């Protein structure tokens, strides 16, 4: 009986204690030891505060990588425009404070590549990481203003100039529309495509053309027939219509080739 009485008394005391805790707005999970540490940061709070500091350093490093690459690439490229996109650094990576400033370095041979890895370090300690960046190189190139069919003669209405990634260009490209007026497309090309030498011919196989040659102080002209497609400055085979002889001549325009004697 005494044991049963003691149990009932403990239950009543426990209920009373919980009631008081509820009225005071306290948490039942707090222990006296935890309450005494109320002014200290918990592990999660410390991690959060550290993360905020690291986040600021992440931004500093990313800006530093971009500035470093801009300075390195400024005098190394012949293209007109360079865009640098630095990849976000994983927020889980802790970046130390570096009062003296971070150092940045990349392999000299990598500056011509599309992707560059930059080593970031701090002289104050042995910390370092590698940040990655994508380099977008563009230049002004003549592209098609609309869909163009095979045999179309190019003019100002179906051409325009746009900034194009250099890695999209596999053949000779053109930078002004004037250089392409009168050329003919050899295949169907969709709108916005860069026009390259392998797509067209200034003189096409079978065209009747003028063959000219400089002999002493005289210029000799005769008619001929092109045996190959050719672009400006390219040497092609042509047949002399009068002698039926095959000669090699340089394409000078859309209707003339020149024999270099």
């Amino acid at each position: 009986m005494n044991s049963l009485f003691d149990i009932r008394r403990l239950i009543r005391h426990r209920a009373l204690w919980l009631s008081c805790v509820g009225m005071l707005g306290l948490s039942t999970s707090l222990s006296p030891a935890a309450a005494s540490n109320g002014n200290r940061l918990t592990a999660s709070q410390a991690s959060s505060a550290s993360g905020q500091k690291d986040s600021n350093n992440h931004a500093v490093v990313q800006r530093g990588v971009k500035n470093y690459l801009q300075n390195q690439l400024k005098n190394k490229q012949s293209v007109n425009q360079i865009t640098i996109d630095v990849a976000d650094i994983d927020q889980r990576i802790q970046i130390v404070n570096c009062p003296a400033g971070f150092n940045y370095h990349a392999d000299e041979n990598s500056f011509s590549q599309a992707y560059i890895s930059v080593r970031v370090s701090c002289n104050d300690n042995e910390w370092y990481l590698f940040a990655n960046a994508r380099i977008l190189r563009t230049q002004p190139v003549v592209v098609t203003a609309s869909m163009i069919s095979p045999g179309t003669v190019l003019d100002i209405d179906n051409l325009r100039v746009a900034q194009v990634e250099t890695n999209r260009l596999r053949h000779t490209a053109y930078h002004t529309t004037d250089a392409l007026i009168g050329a003919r497309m050899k295949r169907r090309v969709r709108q916005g495509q860069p026009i390259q030498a392998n797509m067209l011919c200034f003189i096409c196989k079978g065209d009747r053309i003028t063959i000219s040659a400089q002999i002493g102080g005289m210029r000799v002209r005769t008619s001929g027939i092109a045996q190959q497609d050719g672009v400006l400055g390219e040497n092609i085979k042509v047949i002399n219509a009068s002698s039926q002889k095959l000669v090699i001549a340089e394409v000078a325009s859309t209707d003339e080739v020149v024999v270099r004697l």
Side-chain angles (χ1 to χ4, degrees), residues 102-148:
F102 293 100
N103 298 317
Y104 304 91
H105 175 76
D107 188 337
E108 184 76 17
N109 295 326
S110 70
F111 291 127
S112 61
Q113 300 173 2
Y115 293 91
I116 299 178
S117 184
V118 178
R119 188 180 190 274
V120 185
S121 60
C122 180
N123 287 336
D124 296 346
N125 48 58
E126 296 182 353
W127 175 92
Y128 71 90
L129 65 75
F130 285 94
N132 298 313
R134 180 175 183 264
I135 312 301
L136 180 66
R137 299 173 174 87
T138 63
Q139 58 181 308
V141 169
V142 180
V143 301
T144 52
S146 59
M147 176 75 77
I148 295 181

Side-chain angles (χ1 to χ4, degrees), residues 41-217:
L41 285 175
T42 65
S44 62
Q45 289 171 326
S47 176
S48 174
S50 175
Q52 182 62 40
K53 183 193 300 181
D54 288 343
S55 178
N56 291 336
N57 286 342
H58 280 62
V60 169
V61 167
Q62 287 182 230
R63 286 195 301 270
V65 169
K66 185 172 184 177
N67 291 336
Y68 166 76
L69 290 175
Q70 284 176 333
N71 291 331
Q72 293 297 314
L73 295 171
K74 183 167 53 179
N75 298 320
K76 297 179 184 295
Q77 305 296 328
S78 59
V79 294
N80 293 55
Q81 187 171 324
I82 297 176
T83 302
I84 301 172
D85 181 20
V86 180
D88 290 337
I89 300 171
D90 192 330
Q91 290 296 319
R92 293 172 295 182
I93 297 176
Q94 292 189 356
I95 298 180
V96 300
N97 288 321
C98 189
F102 293 100
N103 298 317
Y104 304 91
H105 175 76
D107 188 337
E108 184 76 17
N109 295 326
S110 70
F111 291 127
S112 61
Q113 300 173 2
Y115 293 91
I116 299 178
S117 184
V118 178
R119 188 180 190 274
V120 185
S121 60
C122 180
N123 287 336
D124 296 346
N125 48 58
E126 296 182 353
W127 175 92
Y128 71 90
L129 65 75
F130 285 94
N132 298 313
R134 180 175 183 264
I135 312 301
L136 180 66
R137 299 173 174 87
T138 63
Q139 58 181 308
V141 169
V142 180
V143 301
T144 52
S146 59
M147 176 75 77
I148 295 181
S149 301
T152 300
V153 177
L154 298 179
D155 59 31
I156 195 63
D157 294 327
N158 49 31
L159 302 173
R160 65 183 179 88
V161 177
Q163 289 287 334
V164 174
E165 290 185 56
T166 55
N167 61 7
R168 291 178 57 191
L169 306 174
R170 296 291 181 267
H171 301 273
T172 301
Y174 299 87
H175 306 292
T176 64
T177 57
D178 291 345
L180 288 170
I181 301 301
R184 275 173 286 172
M185 297 300 295
K186 295 196 291 186
R187 64 173 186 258
R188 186 179 301 276
V189 180
R190 68 177 183 272
Q191 180 178 352
Q193 278 289 96
I195 296 180
Q196 300 178 75
N198 66 321
M199 299 177 177
L200 50 81
C201 52
F202 283 80
I203 289 178
C204 303
K205 183 178 180 179
D207 286 353
R208 298 193 70 86
I209 54 174
T210 298
I211 303 172
S212 66
Q214 190 77 29
I215 302 176

